[in-house]
Amino acid sequence: MYKIMLVDDERIILDGISQMVEWASLQTELVGTARNGVEAYERIKESAPDIVISDIRMPGMDGLELVERVNATHPHVRFVLLSGFGEFDYASRAMQYGVRHYLLKPTNEEKIGEALKEIVAELEQEKSKESFVQSMREELNKVMPHVKEQFLKEFVTNKTYGNRDWDYYRSLFRLDFDYRVRLLLFQLEGSFEFEHLFAIKNIAQDLLHNPLLTTTIGDHVLIVLEDTGEPDQLQERIYEVREIFQKYYKMDATIALSEPNHIIKARSLYKETLQLLNYRFYLGEGSLITRKDTAVSQTAAVKELVFDEERLTMTVKSGHKEEAAAVLEELIQGLKDAQLDINVTKSYVIQQFVSLVRQCDPEEMNDYFKKIPLIVEMNTLQSIQAFLEDAVAQMTAKFYDQNKVKISAIVRKVIDIIDGQLGNSELSLNWVAHEMLYMNADYLGKLFKKETGEKFSNYVMKTRIKKATELISQEADIKIFELAERLGFGDNPQYFSQVFKKYTGSTPSEYMKSSETSAF
């Protein structure tokens, strides 16, 4: 029902119209009457009618003044003006306020009813139109985020989009910004579902203080942020996004952050973030990569890669676990420093891996060769390093077990040679390796230390001094120069005395005296 207010300074007209019109049949109800414009305006403010039927000529404030006043504060109110025969020219001034219904006094129920029917029909049509517009607005609000996402996706990937397109969509979407921005590109690590992209986008929207635009492009989440000129604070918030995502979804994300530029340069900024993500191969998963990080990497790239596949292969074959791990670490660090093309780096890794595999048994060799495609598919040097560490550890352990018996036999033979050659002043690791066992001296020294826990030279000296103490106990009158000669010190008894004191804490003379004293 639409609310009606009746205004006339003549009581008889107010009462007559009030009683003769069947308001309900016209979808209306009479909510009040007034005797002049001043009184009517106050009641209009209180009851907010939809339609006002008013006389034009009234004391205090006439109908035309009432229309003007109400139009300024309640523009939705419709008017039906009652006028005398000579007042139509005067009443026509009300047309500027949208008044279209005039009734000549005296009027009747039929004419008032026709005027009200027209106005009610207009109001119903407006209500329907407003309802449609509101419904469309609600639907538009629902789809607007998706439309904005699609626009951003097209804007950064479509070469045909330019400044005019930005101006058009900025106006269409009411994007109230036209300034410098930064782009964030998130890449999730490992296997994930679309819901994980949606989740990290929502976390970023909450923590990054309402980003200007967001979208998903393939396996990436793209976010446009206003450049506040505070990169340190921004990076702290980005790390917070990553940490919260890790906490709830147990997944990591690598993030690229572009340099600041105007929004119309979004396409070039997007390309920049894609290029930055390539550096995750060397910087590792879960990194926040900026142009500064790539500049550091390019500075390090002046280092030349020294690649010697035999070095790691020989170490693994010898069964030295710790040394093999150290050599592998050097290899990985060399690849990081060189910053070669990713495919070139992978070719070096595959070359090294093949060299290692060729040392294995045929059955193991086939199993390892089947894993080469895994290296090709790996996206970071970090994952390649983990793969090689596992393979090197397995191979080294296998070779250690195979070499253990052989190594023990060789070391026992070296000890036998030492015991038999204590008086030989030429006794040395090189002499034993080259003249007696025909082996590589460095390799023999490592085997000896691994088995005995001591370096070859130290073991020889300790054995000679131990033999010297035995001779002193057995031969009370033995001379110091005789000990030196018999134990390989040649004609240098002074050096013998120095070594003796180092290992026993006393000179040979003091040791002989203490032995004589203890005998008594």
Side-chain angles (χ1 to χ4, degrees), residues 14 48 68 93 97 104 150 219-220 271 342 348 358 395 437 494 499:
L14 284 179
E68 183 178 1
R93 289 171 51 194
Y97 301 112
L104 184 64
Q150 186 62 32
D219 293 338
H220 298 143
K271 284 185 175 179
I342 294 174
Y348 276 117
R358 284 175 177 163
M395 293 180 188
L437 300 178
Q494 184 176 1
V499 174

Side-chain angles (χ1 to χ4, degrees), residues 128-180:
S128 176
K129 181 179 178 181
E130 289 177 2
S131 176
F132 174 76
V133 170
Q134 180 62 29
S135 175
M136 291 297 295
R137 185 177 290 113
E138 290 175 357
E139 290 299 319
L140 184 60
N141 288 336
K142 289 180 182 178
V143 302
M144 185 60 75
H146 304 290
V147 176
K148 286 182 178 180
E149 287 194 9
Q150 186 62 32
F151 157 69
L152 177 58
K153 187 183 302 185
E154 291 291 328
F155 193 66
V156 299
T157 59
N158 193 327
K159 293 181 180 180
T160 63
Y161 277 63
N163 295 4
R164 290 184 179 179
D165 299 288
W166 164 247
D167 291 336
Y168 169 74
Y169 284 107
R170 176 171 172 251
S171 174
L172 178 65
F173 297 140
R174 297 179 182 177
L175 301 174
D176 298 325
F177 62 90
D178 192 27
Y179 37 68
R180 289 166 68 83

Side-chain angles (χ1 to χ4, degrees), residues 34 40 100 144 209 213 221 223 227 316 385 419 507:
R100 294 189 301 146
M144 185 60 75
H209 305 313
L213 292 168
V221 171
I223 295 179
D227 176 40
V316 169
Q385 180 176 3
D419 290 339
T507 64

Side-chain angles (χ1 to χ4, degrees), residues 163-350:
N163 295 4
R164 290 184 179 179
D165 299 288
W166 164 247
D167 291 336
Y168 169 74
Y169 284 107
R170 176 171 172 251
S171 174
L172 178 65
F173 297 140
R174 297 179 182 177
L175 301 174
D176 298 325
F177 62 90
D178 192 27
Y179 37 68
R180 289 166 68 83
V181 298
R182 281 176 176 257
L183 266 59
L184 268 179
L185 196 62
F186 290 80
Q187 176 169 320
L188 304 188
E189 302 297 349
S191 59
F192 58 87
E193 305 293 336
F194 181 79
E195 65 183 56
H196 296 120
L197 293 174
F198 184 73
I200 199 167
K201 184 174 71 171
N202 284 345
I203 295 172
Q205 287 175 324
D206 289 340
L207 297 182
L208 298 177
H209 305 313
N210 297 321
L212 304 175
L213 292 168
T214 64
T215 190
T216 56
I217 303 179
D219 293 338
H220 298 143
V221 171
L222 178 65
I223 295 179
V224 180
L225 301 167
E226 178 185 358
D227 176 40
T228 61
E230 299 176 337
D232 292 340
Q233 293 184 10
L234 174 60
Q235 291 189 24
E236 287 179 7
R237 293 198 298 270
I238 294 172
Y239 278 121
E240 188 176 355
V241 172
R242 175 174 165 263
E243 289 172 3
I244 291 178
F245 181 72
Q246 278 182 316
K247 177 180 178 181
Y248 287 100
Y249 294 92
K250 312 303 179 188
M251 298 174 65
D252 207 347
T254 303
I255 309 159
L257 174 62
S258 77
E259 291 296 296
N261 209 326
H262 194 277
I263 182 64
I264 61 175
K265 299 293 184 180
R267 188 166 181 270
S268 62
L269 294 179
Y270 173 63
K271 284 185 175 179
E272 179 185 339
T273 57
L274 287 174
Q275 291 170 353
L276 291 176
L277 279 183
N278 287 333
Y279 282 86
R280 68 190 268 276
F281 183 82
Y282 290 105
L283 299 177
E285 297 177 357
S287 304
L288 171 58
I289 308 173
T290 66
R291 185 183 294 178
K292 181 179 178 181
D293 298 312
T294 63
V296 171
S297 298
Q298 290 168 358
T299 301
V302 299
K303 296 183 179 180
E304 183 179 353
L305 175 65
V306 178
F307 183 71
D308 179 9
E309 64 184 80
E310 289 300 318
R311 184 166 174 238
L312 178 59
T313 302
M314 291 300 295
T315 309
V316 169
K317 194 173 181 181
S318 70
H320 291 152
K321 180 179 178 180
E322 293 79 7
E323 186 172 349
V327 173
L328 176 59
E329 180 64 33
E330 287 182 23
L331 170 62
I332 297 297
Q333 189 59 51
L335 293 171
K336 285 182 180 179
D337 292 341
Q339 294 282 299
L340 303 171
D341 178 82
I342 294 174
N343 290 327
V344 174
T345 297
K346 288 184 178 180
S347 70
Y348 276 117
V349 172
I350 293 172

